[in-house]
Every structure is written in structure tokens, then in C-alpha cells.
């Protein structure tokens, strides 16, 4: 993809070592979905995250979520609690397994699942169905850690496992510990626009060597231990290719640089936009949070700024700058129409006019409000200080009119 004069949202950036690992794979004929690059990439990730985790490289982050939920025993008739404010890849695997999602609204400061509403949803599900939800899925959206201490406390109080969606949060920390190391499982994504890429790919972070072995088993068509091909369970073709893993090994050399560059850009946006009326930026709520700032996200208060988020997006597009609305919450997606959604009521601090219903009778909630007002700004490692200045100039110019 050419980067010419357009400023892109989040482009991949190579260390230069990727091709050496790929060449090695060709030279040794490891052009298959296993081999030294897959082992090496898994080792690199395991060393990076620490906490005695066991990591399995897969074909996608979505595949990781699928195999995580599968191992938590999620199946038909089960309920899985999922943050509504996310990309559809978080929720879709719940449906692959025949289970039902229950969506929960976000906190105003982290934009991630509200622990208060999470507990409300758990109590309700137990009361109504007589059984516990099978799993809880918090998401570290845009790299911002979810409030994992509270979430894990609630999870252990009710004895419900947690699968963290850390697809966007490689390198982010909460209370000094990496996102993706709190739950029973966690998914990582190495899609083209993520913190590091394998072109397409993901990984499942497991707590035990047994869970990692089981993940590999399911990811390679659930082949039994026999000389012929024998299967006692349904399997999947989800393993990462040794070529893609070669890209991943090369990318590990620049992971820290990518985090530094995205954080620098975020700080620069914050500095340059701070006096602009009606524009606010998602920021770490306290020192407990260390976002990788995968994407810098803003909220546009149209009354104060004079233009809506969509006006701003179109203006940026006309200036050859790629921006993107925030994720549309799952409870507002047509495909999940009718799915339960837990949001605030008048008694809650976060209740606002957005806690009312939309034209379809669906409550928007805090995440619906964020979706209406929010925009992601170009944030990748290739975005320069001059680019950020050019983007900020568009804001300033609009604001003066
Ligand atoms: C929050 C979130 N979850 C899951 C995924 C799925 O990852 P993948 O695209 O590798 O399947 C993504 C990224 O695409 C994501 O942003």
C-alpha cells in the first residue's frame, strides 16, 4: 500500500528483520503452519508478557477467542457476558458456539465494561435462568485497560471465568501488569493495523501448558494421537503459518518502538488540541492505567466545537486524512438486535440523556453516546509530528469559521 501524501489511520511498519525469518523458512522448507518461526514467535511473546503464560499463535485473534470460549465449555443454551463497545470479532465467536451474548455498557473514563453493570448482569442472569453466565469478556478497547482488578474480583466472587480481549492492547498495562495476563484466557491480534502485524494472525494467551496443548490440538483439526488421521472431536484449521510467524518475529524487534511512537503521537495531539473547545481525548484515568494508545480517540461536542463528528470526518477525508468513527456498539448492531443490554438507570452517576432509547426502542447507553461523538485519529508509527500538526490545523481551521 502506498503511503504517498495520504495520512493513514494505522499503517504497518517493518523492522527489516521480517524477511530474514521468512527467507530462513523458505531455505529450510518450513512453508507450513508449524515450524521454527511459530515456536520462536510464541517464545518471544511468552517472554514479553511474562506471568508464566503459555501462548499459542493462531491464524487470527477471532480464532483465539473462539478456541478460548470453546475451552471454557461455552455451548448452546449458555450466556456469555460481553462488553458492548467493541469490534464484532469479540462477540461473533459466542454465536459460533451456539451461545447467547449479553451486552454490558461502558464506564465513562475507560470506555470499557462497567464493573457495576457487569455484576448487575450476572445477578440477573442467575436469577432469571437459574445458571451462571459461562464467561465474562472485557475488552481493552483502543489499548485502554479495562478495570481488571474489579472485574477479576467480581468474576471470582461468582466463580465465572474471564476471557480478555487484548487484540488492541499489546503492551498496555494495568496496575503494572500487561493486559492479557489477568484472565483465564486472552486473545491478541496481529492484523495489519495492530501494534505489531503478521499480515493476519492472532494468539491465545493460556494460563497452563495443558490449555496451550489443547489449543494446539483444536487448532490443528483435533487430531488424535494415532499414526493415521483419527478424530474424536470437531477441530479447526486455525494454526499460524510459519511464514506469518516469521513476520511476527521480525516485528518483536520494533514492538517497543511502536508503543513509544503511538504514545508520543497521543501526547502531541493532547498538547495541540488542549485549548480547542468541544474536543476531548481518551486518556489514562490514573497512574494505574498505561495505555499503548493504539489509536488516539477523540470526542466531539458539536455544540461547543460547532461541527459534528461526521462533519469533521468528512473534512479530514477531503484533506486526504483517514479517520474512523469509534466502533459501533454491539447492542446497536442489526445482527444482534434483541440481545439483552445492561446500561445505567437514573440512580447511576453515568446516566445521561443517552441512556434513553433510540428510534428502534433500543437504549443507547454510554457506549452509544461515545459512538455518536467519537473519532479515531491517525496514530500509527509512520504518523509524524508534521502529520499531527497538519491534522490539528484542520481542527483549528474549522473551529475559527
Ligand atoms: C477488539 C478486537 N477484538 C478482536 C479482534 C479480532 O482480531 P483478528 O482481526 O486478528 O481476528 C480485533 C481486530 O481485528 C479487535 O479490534
Amino acid at each position: 500500500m502506498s503511503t504517498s501524501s495520504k495520512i493513514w489511520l494505522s499503517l504497518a511498519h517493518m523492522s527489516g528483520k521480517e524477511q530474514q525469518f521468512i527467507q530462513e523458512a523458505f531455505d529450510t522448507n518450513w512453508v507450513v503452519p508449524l515450524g521454527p518461526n511459530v515456536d520462536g514467535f510464541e517464545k518471544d511473546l511468552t517472554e514479553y508478557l511474562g506471568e508464566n503464560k503459555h501462548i499459542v499463535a493462531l491464524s487470527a485473534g477471532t480464532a483465539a477467542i473462539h478456541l478460548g470460549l470453546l475451552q471454557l465449555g461455552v455451548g448452546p443454551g449458555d450466556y456469555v457476558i460481553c462488553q458492548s463497545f467493541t469490534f464484532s470479532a469479540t462477540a461473533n465467536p459466542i454465536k459460533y458456539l451456539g451461545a447467547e451474548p449479553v451486552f454490558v455498557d461502558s464506564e465513562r473514563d475507560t470506555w470499557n465494561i462497567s464493573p457495576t453493570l457487569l455484576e448487575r448482569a450476572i445477578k440477573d442472569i442467575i436469577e432469571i435462568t437459574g445458571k451462571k453466565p459461562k464467561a465474562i469478556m472485557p475488552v481493552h478497547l483502543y489499548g485502554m485497560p479495562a478495570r481488571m482488578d474489579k472485574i477479576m474480583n467480581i468474576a471470582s466472587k461468582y466463580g465465572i471465568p474471564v476471557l480478555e480481549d487484548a487484540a488492541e492492547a499489546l503492551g498496555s498495562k494495568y496496575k503494572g501488569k500487561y493486559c492479557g495476563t489477568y484472565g483465564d484466557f486472552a486473545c491478541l491480534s496481529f492484523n495489519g493495523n495492530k501494534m505489531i502485524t503478521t499480515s493476519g494472525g492472532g494468539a491465545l494467551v493460556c494460563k497452563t501448558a495443558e490449555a496451550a496443548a489443547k489449543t494446539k490440538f483444536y487448532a490443528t483439526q483435533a487430531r488424535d494421537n494415532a499414526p493415521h488421521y483419527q478424530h474424536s472431536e470437531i477441530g479447526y484449521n486455525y494454526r499460524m503459518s510459519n511464514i506469518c510467524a516469521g513476520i511476527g518475529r521480525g516485528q518483536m524487534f520494533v514492538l517497543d518502538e511502536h508503543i513509544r511512537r503511538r504514545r508520543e503521537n497521543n501526547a502531541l495531539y493532547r498538547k495541540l488540541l488542549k485549548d480547542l473547545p468541544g474536543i476531548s481525548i481518551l486518556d489514562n484515568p490514573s497512574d494505574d492505567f498505561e495505555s499503548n494508545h493504539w489509536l488516539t480517540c477523540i470526542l466531539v461536542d458539536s455544540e461547543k466545537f460547532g461541527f459534528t463528528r461526521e462533519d469533521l470526518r468528512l473534512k479530514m477525508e477531503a484533506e486526504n486524512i483517514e479517520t474512523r468513527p469509534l466502533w459501533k456498539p454491539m447492542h446497536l448492531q442489526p445482527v444482534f438486535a434483541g440481545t439483552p443490554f445492561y446500561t445505567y438507570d437514573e440512580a447511576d452517576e453515568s446516566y445521561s440523556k443517552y441512556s434513553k432509547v433510540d428510534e428502534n426502542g433500543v437504549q443507547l447507553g454510554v457506549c452509544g453516546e461515545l459512538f455518536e461523538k467519537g473519532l479515531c485519529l491517525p496514530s500509527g508509527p509512520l504518523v509524524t509530528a508534521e502529520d499531527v500538526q497538519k491534522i490539528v490545523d484542520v481542527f483549528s481551521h474549522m473551529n475559527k469559521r
Side-chain angles (χ1 to χ4, degrees):
M1 200 187 299
S2 157
T3 57
S4 56
S5 61
K6 179 147 183 167
I7 305 177
W8 298 92
L9 188 73
S10 183
L11 286 183
H13 160 260
M14 297 295 123
S15 69
K17 294 192 200 290
E18 291 82 359
Q19 284 183 334
Q20 290 171 28
F21 289 112
I22 294 172
Q23 191 60 49
E24 239 171 76
F26 275 83
D27 291 346
T28 53
N29 211 10
W30 279 103
V31 188
V32 280
L34 79 166
N37 282 338
V38 175
D39 296 343
F41 187 40
E42 288 174 344
K43 185 165 166 280
D44 291 346
L45 288 166
T46 305
E47 279 169 11
Y48 183 83
L49 287 186
E51 306 290 337
N52 299 316
K53 295 292 173 180
H54 302 262
I55 298 181
V56 181
L58 299 168
S59 56
T62 314
I65 296 172
H66 188 182
L67 294 189
L69 290 178
L70 181 76
Q71 288 176 80
L72 293 177
V74 172
D78 289 330
Y79 291 93
V80 173
I81 297 184
C82 180
Q83 180 168 319
S84 182
F85 199 30
T86 188
F87 177 50
S88 63
T90 315
N92 283 341
I94 301 170
K95 292 295 238 185
Y96 300 169
L97 290 162
E100 291 303 326
V102 172
F103 296 124
V104 173
D105 204 355
S106 293
E107 304 179 288
R108 279 204 181 276
D109 57 357
T110 64
W111 294 9
N112 292 315
I113 194 165
S114 150
T116 313
L117 297 178
L118 166 66
E119 186 159 19
R120 227 177 265 173
I122 294 172
K123 281 183 178 162
D124 245 26
I125 293 169
I126 294 173
E127 200 182 303
I128 295 167
T129 70
K131 61 180 192 175
K132 288 190 290 195
K134 218 49 192 261
I136 299 167
M137 299 178 74
V139 185
H140 309 293
L141 210 62
Y142 301 112
M144 180 60 67
R147 240 183 201 87
M148 288 312 295
D149 55 352
K150 287 198 175 164
I151 294 166
M152 294 309 294
N153 279 342
I154 294 167
S156 77
K157 179 172 162 191
Y158 292 91
I160 304 168
V162 172
L163 191 157
E164 286 174 83
D165 184 338
E168 302 174 356
L170 184 58
S172 297
K173 284 183 179 175
Y174 178 68
K175 294 200 167 172
K177 235 175 89 161
Y178 280 116
C179 290
T181 62
Y182 280 86
D184 298 82
F185 287 102
C187 93
L188 302 173
S189 169
F190 314 116
N191 210 330
N193 61 9
K194 294 297 190 301
M195 294 306 289
I196 58 169
T197 185
T198 56
S199 69
L204 187 64
V205 182
C206 307
K207 248 177 156 173
T208 62
E210 293 72 41
K214 201 82 204 205
T215 304
K216 289 179 190 172
F217 167 76
Y218 283 122
T220 49
Q221 305 288 22
R223 187 178 171 188
D224 293 339
N225 193 9
H228 52 278
Y229 278 82
Q230 177 168 299
H231 308 272
S232 309
E233 287 189 70
I234 297 294
Y236 304 86
N237 184 7
Y238 277 173
R239 206 64 167 114
M240 181 178 278
S241 120
N242 196 51
I243 303 299
C244 295
I247 307 176
R249 285 180 91 181
Q251 287 277 285
M252 289 306 286
F253 288 91
V254 279
L255 173 56
D256 286 341
E257 187 192 333
H258 287 183
I259 296 169
R260 184 179 55 77
R261 290 285 305 121
R262 286 178 192 264
R263 284 180 176 159
E264 272 174 13
N265 278 337
N266 180 273
L268 188 57
Y269 276 120
R270 207 147 353 103
K271 185 173 147 206
L272 298 177
L273 288 171
K274 83 174 172 350
D275 296 326
L276 216 65
I279 302 295
S280 56
I281 300 188
L282 171 64
D283 197 8
N284 292 315
S286 74
D287 290 347
D288 289 343
F289 298 80
E290 294 173 69
S291 172
N292 61 16
H293 290 302
W294 172 55
L295 295 182
T296 288
C297 302
I298 58 158
L299 295 180
V300 181
D301 180 333
S302 56
E303 277 170 29
K304 292 193 184 131
F305 183 60
F307 293 91
T308 64
R309 175 264 280 171
E310 193 53 12
D311 297 331
L312 182 60
R313 191 187 70 77
L314 292 171
K315 179 69 180 151
M316 291 288 178
E317 198 171 271
E319 298 290 334
N320 224 8
I321 297 164
E322 185 192 20
T323 62
R324 194 167 64 187
L326 301 184
W327 298 123
K328 182 173 183 176
M330 290 307 106
H331 75 283
L332 298 175
Q333 297 286 355
V335 71
F336 290 118
T339 304
F341 171 58
Y342 282 81
T343 184
Y344 302 89
D345 58 35
E346 284 90 339
D348 293 304
E349 236 175 69
S350 273
Y351 183 78
S352 74
K353 65 188 164 98
Y354 291 99
S355 296
K356 302 234 168 77
V357 294
D358 72 1
E359 68 280 4
N360 300 316
V362 180
Q363 281 191 288
L364 296 180
V366 164
C367 58
E369 174 186 353
L370 295 173
F371 168 63
E372 259 187 8
K373 295 182 170 178
L375 198 66
C376 307
L377 301 179
S379 310
L382 296 177
V383 173
T384 64
E386 292 75 49
D387 292 337
V388 172
Q389 184 61 62
K390 189 177 162 197
I391 294 160
V392 169
D393 288 346
V394 177
F395 281 90
S396 313
H397 187 248
M398 285 178 87
N399 185 242
K400 282 200 193 88
R401 284 203 288 150

